[in-house]
């Protein structure tokens, strides 16, 4: 008799952004005349850069002709893309990697959910709180979380590292020793970034404890301050303790196009086993490569035109971030993030709960944000706004919020 | 201290097609002058159909303009594609499904590897032998396989259902009761197909035992005989016991474009839990949708032009299958498959081992096939050739094999 994976049944409610989506859809249905502005989910709104569009058309044409048609891609990605990554994302920053340390995938969400598979089932994970829900949920589904305490909103077997105003949203080293440490910087959802010295502390800690850091660098393109590392491998010793996740979603607008990669350095040995070999085996068994045409699109991001266009897009969104940051500050809100990150993190006013503030903002300003509590218990009392809307909508949304008084 | 998932270390050697690929690359490097013909991996060679190419270009143009740009896709797929699937793949065959029973993904390999996650960790699986390696390997990685016996080539906790000449490549009901039954028909690798009455036996068995059938119908487009069901839901009662996997790879040439879907009927309850809800949760947590442009490409497969072009492609490959089947028969080989399937399955001559025959064929005819033993112990002494080459190459390869005498 078949039985289900009971770990799936432990998952709390539905996925955060599904809940947000449903609430917005219900509101919009009840108020079809209202112009709802979405600054909630971290989805981009600008079209694909011209260089990417051109590369897609070219690749589609190749697929239309027998001589240039491509079937199954290499499991780990085409060499042309892996080379471009090594050259432009790392070598240019003084980080030496070889192409077989780069694993191309269909998205950083998949990678961040799948990476836990290569670790022992009884591994202990540590996460920032608040946190991108996928890190925790994928471990719940794998049976690593223990039981959920509804009173605290925490899992019994997960180490939480609170990131709040009190510590300037920088996690402290945990008291209990974890096996796997998830770090996302620039951070989703708080928008905080770590300076090199701050990240070095984590690298040293992981090497000392023989823990592995899963470093999610999906937002590195938004870094504006020079002291903030774009890659964890800018820190000494990171190659022996860290996996890095990168994405084309937020820099080049690939949220609906799907492309990402993971870096697993050859030096990263766990228990005497090269972690990259296990990750390669996972790719080879459970994945069949990202589409050829989309890998060509990714390659175009690194071309001269592509780089320029991506920089313009990032600049456009960062202007939005500034509008939100400055507008809310002027209106008396306590805000952070938004400098090295497309996310602005604000303290809800008058001690409102973060879902309460979500409903309040939706009803009174017709603006959608994301409740901090959706990212973990320490997110309660906070709220996330994203810079991914259009400039006009962002200005309008901030104006509406400010007028609430 | 981090530890690895030891189940990964249990995996035997590398993935079959990687090994084949390496052997071919080595041979080609040592003999650069030889014209090696690949009839090994099940990869297509004809370019994408014109209707699909046109749809891709249109969708790329949409992504280039803010008004029609698409970000994150709905977790489970766009309605336009799910509707087309329901209408053209099922309604037209008398099977009623609703769009929320269709789950769009990036490939049937991913789906067939991931589906095991929704079942209990101690589930017992049954597989045909020989078998597509992903079903077994994904369960090994999840810790369900027990230990590997190198003498028998079998996992201690997996139920094997031999498919050999003796039973005409149709599996018999297993003696031991499984929780999950993987069936692939038309079969990879044997090319065998089940008639409706034969498949009905399995549906009745699964319902009686409350087991779940994972029915891989990736090759349904190649069915030529009228008595062979294209979907397991053509059998009575299948909705309460079967998940069906479908792919765009083999019908429309999407091996390098990546698109597939899984059907999980609402009536499929496991342990009182609707399996579709768990699968939806997996999609929502660990996957971010197939690319918009590729879902549009998939939609085009169901248009008038698309259908015609796909039928022509399938016809082209099936002409190859006939060339292989007839040629080898005339040369005295014992062959099967190739009628409702792009795969021809042959008995190796003079009791040769199947890897031995692989090496022999590569060295003497410069033809690449796939050794039956790579698909499981009962595949030993058999060999797979695929119809996915060009017509000219297929004729040439068959000629070379026949001339070996």
């Amino acid at each position: 008799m078949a039985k289900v994976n009971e770990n799936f049944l432990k998952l709390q409610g539905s996925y955060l952004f599904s809940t947000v989506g449903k609430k917005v859809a219900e509101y919009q249905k009840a108020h079809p005349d209202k112009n709802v502005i979405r600054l909630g989910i971290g989805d981009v709104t600008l079209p694909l850069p011209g260089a990417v569009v051109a590369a897609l058309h070219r690749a589609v044409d190749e697929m239309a002709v027998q001589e240039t048609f491509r079937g199954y891609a290499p499991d780990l990605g085409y060499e042309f893309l892996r080379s471009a990554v090594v050259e432009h994302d790392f070598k240019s920053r003084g980080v030496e990697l070889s192409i077989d340390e780069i694993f191309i995938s269909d998205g950083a969400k998949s990678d961040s959910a799948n990476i836990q598979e290569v670790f022992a089932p009884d591994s202990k994970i540590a996460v920032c709180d608040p946190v991108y829900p996928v890190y925790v949920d994928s471990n719940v589904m794998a049976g690593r979380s223990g039981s959920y305490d509804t009173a605290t909103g925490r899992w019994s077997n997960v180490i939480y590292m609170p990131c709040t105003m009190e510590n300037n949203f920088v996690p402290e080293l945990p008291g209990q020793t974890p096996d796997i440490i998830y770090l996302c910087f620039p951070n989703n959802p708080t928008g905080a970034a770590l300076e090199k010295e701050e990240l070095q502390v984590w690298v040293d800690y992981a090497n000392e404890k023989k823990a592995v850091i899963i470093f999610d660098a999906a937002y590195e393109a938004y870094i504006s301050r020079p002291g903030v590392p774009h890659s964890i491998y800018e820190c000494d010793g990171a190659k022996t303790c860290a996996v890095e996740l990168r994405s084309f979603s937020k820099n080049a607008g690939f949220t609906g196009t799907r492309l990402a990669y993971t870096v697993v350095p050859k030096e990263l040995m766990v228990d005497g086993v090269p972690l990259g070999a296990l990750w390669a085996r996972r790719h080879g068994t459970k994945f069949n490569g990202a589409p050829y045409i989309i890998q060509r699109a990714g390659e175009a991001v690194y071309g001269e035109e592509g780089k320029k266009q991506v920089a313009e897009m990032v600049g456009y969104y960062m202007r939005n971030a500034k509008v939100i940051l400055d507008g809310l500050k002027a209106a008396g809100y306590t805000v952070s993030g938004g400098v090295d990150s497309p996310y602005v993190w604000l303290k809800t006013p008058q001690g409102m709960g973060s879902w309460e503030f979500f409903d309040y903002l939706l009803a009174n300003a017709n603006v959608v944000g994301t409740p901090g509590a959706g990212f973990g218990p320490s997110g309660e009392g906070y709220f996330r706004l994203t810079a991914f809307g259009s400039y006009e909508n962002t200005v309008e949304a901030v104006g509406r919020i400010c007028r609430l008084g």
Side-chain angles (χ1 to χ4, degrees), chain A residues 165 169 321-337 344-354 356-362 364-367 369 381-385 397-405:
Chain A
M165 275 175 58
F169 306 104
K322 197 168 156 41
V323 166
I324 302 172
L325 208 55
D326 293 350
L328 295 187
K329 259 186 206 163
Y333 282 87
T334 305
V335 287
S336 58
V344 174
W345 190 242
L346 59 100
K347 191 100 195 72
T348 56
Q350 293 138 8
M352 276 173 114
S354 60
E356 189 188 350
F357 187 66
F358 173 90
D359 292 330
Y360 169 78
L361 217 59
L362 179 57
N364 296 287
N366 304 320
V367 171
Y382 294 91
F383 199 76
R384 191 187 77 174
L385 290 173
V398 170
R400 288 188 201 164
I401 296 173
C402 292
R403 283 193 297 276
L404 290 175

Side-chain angles (χ1 to χ4, degrees), chain A residues 8-24:
Chain A
F8 275 54
L9 307 179
K10 291 182 183 176
L11 287 165
Q12 300 301 303
S14 67
Y15 185 66
L16 169 62
F17 297 112
S18 311
T19 309
V20 167
K22 267 179 212 155
K23 273 183 175 264
V24 175

Side-chain angles (χ1 to χ4, degrees), chain A residues 115 119 178-182 206-207 209-215 240-243 268-270 275:
Chain A
I115 191 73
F119 296 99
D179 303 309
I180 309 167
I181 303 164
Y182 289 85
N207 275 322
K209 302 291 187 186
K210 297 192 193 304
V212 173
I213 296 173
I214 311 298
F215 189 72
T240 55
C241 70
V243 167
L268 181 47
M269 304 290 287
V270 173
L275 204 70

Side-chain angles (χ1 to χ4, degrees), chain A residues 29-355:
Chain A
K29 200 175 170 184
H31 306 87
D33 54 314
K34 299 289 188 188
N35 170 26
V36 173
I37 299 178
R38 288 169 174 75
L39 302 180
I41 194 168
D43 199 357
V44 298
T45 52
L46 289 178
L48 290 177
V52 168
V53 169
L56 281 167
H57 279 306
R58 278 196 306 273
V60 169
D61 284 335
E62 286 184 66
M63 295 294 279
V65 180
Q66 183 142 19
E67 291 65 34
T68 50
F69 173 79
R70 308 278 185 129
Y72 289 120
D75 285 345
L76 308 180
Y78 278 103
E79 199 172 312
F80 61 77
L81 180 56
R82 298 166 92 191
S83 305
V85 162
V86 163
E87 184 70 21
H88 299 278
D89 281 343
F90 296 100
K91 200 169 181 186
S92 63
R93 296 194 180 277
V95 176
E96 291 291 335
L97 289 170
S98 67
I99 67 161
D100 43 354
E101 294 169 298
I102 308 296
F103 300 76
I104 306 296
S105 82
D106 71 317
K109 183 177 174 187
S110 308
D111 285 344
S112 64
N114 293 333
I115 191 73
Q116 47 77 28
E117 284 185 36
V118 300
F119 296 99
D122 63 349
S123 303
K124 190 125 191 164
I125 69 160
V127 295
C128 291
D129 171 22
V131 66
Y132 176 52
V134 170
Y135 311 151
V136 176
D137 287 355
S138 59
N139 279 287
V140 172
M141 292 156 96
R144 292 194 187 88
S145 61
S147 56
Y148 187 74
D149 181 342
T150 45
T152 62
R154 292 184 162 189
W155 295 92
S156 61
N157 200 37
V158 172
I159 301 171
Y160 291 88
M161 306 180 293
C163 296
T164 59
M165 275 175 58
E166 285 63 42
N167 56 15
N168 210 18
F169 306 104
V170 176
E172 286 142 44
L173 295 177
Q176 208 186 345
T177 306
D179 303 309
I180 309 167
I181 303 164
Y182 289 85
L183 294 178
C184 172
F185 289 99
N187 188 257
N188 174 15
T190 71
L194 294 189
E195 304 209 357
K196 192 170 169 182
E197 295 67 34
E198 292 173 308
L199 187 56
Q200 186 68 53
V201 170
W202 284 93
V203 169
D204 294 343
Y205 173 78
N207 275 322
E208 184 200 325
K209 302 291 187 186
K210 297 192 193 304
V212 173
I213 296 173
I214 311 298
F215 189 72
D216 185 344
Y219 299 94
E220 68 83 23
Y222 293 87
I223 293 171
S224 66
R225 290 181 301 149
V228 176
H230 289 243
S231 164
I232 195 167
Y233 306 115
E234 294 178 44
C235 293
D236 291 337
K239 284 187 177 178
T240 55
C241 70
V243 167
E244 183 163 303
L245 310 179
R246 290 285 192 103
S247 167
F248 290 79
S249 287
K250 307 304 165 87
N251 55 346
F254 275 42
T255 53
T257 303
R258 315 303 312 139
L259 193 66
Y261 66 88
T262 295
V263 184
V264 187
K266 282 184 197 150
E267 290 96 320
L268 181 47
M269 304 290 287
V270 173
D271 238 353
V273 178
L275 204 70
L278 300 192
W279 188 237
R281 190 65 196 250
R282 193 207 172 277
H283 267 255
T285 306
K286 297 187 161 192
F287 181 59
N288 231 333
Y292 171 71
I293 55 177
I294 288 171
Q295 294 196 50
R296 281 291 182 202
E299 182 190 27
V301 169
Y302 299 105
E304 206 176 315
E305 278 297 292
K307 276 185 179 175
K308 218 179 85 192
Q309 293 162 354
V310 164
E312 279 165 17
M313 266 172 57
V314 168
Y316 178 92
Y317 292 133
M318 289 311 283
R319 183 171 61 148
N320 291 348
K322 197 168 156 41
V323 166
I324 302 172
L325 208 55
D326 293 350
L328 295 187
K329 259 186 206 163
Y333 282 87
T334 305
V335 287
S336 58
V339 173
D340 297 305
S341 154
Y343 296 128
V344 174
W345 190 242
L346 59 100
K347 191 100 195 72
T348 56
Q350 293 138 8
M352 276 173 114
S354 60
W355 277 106

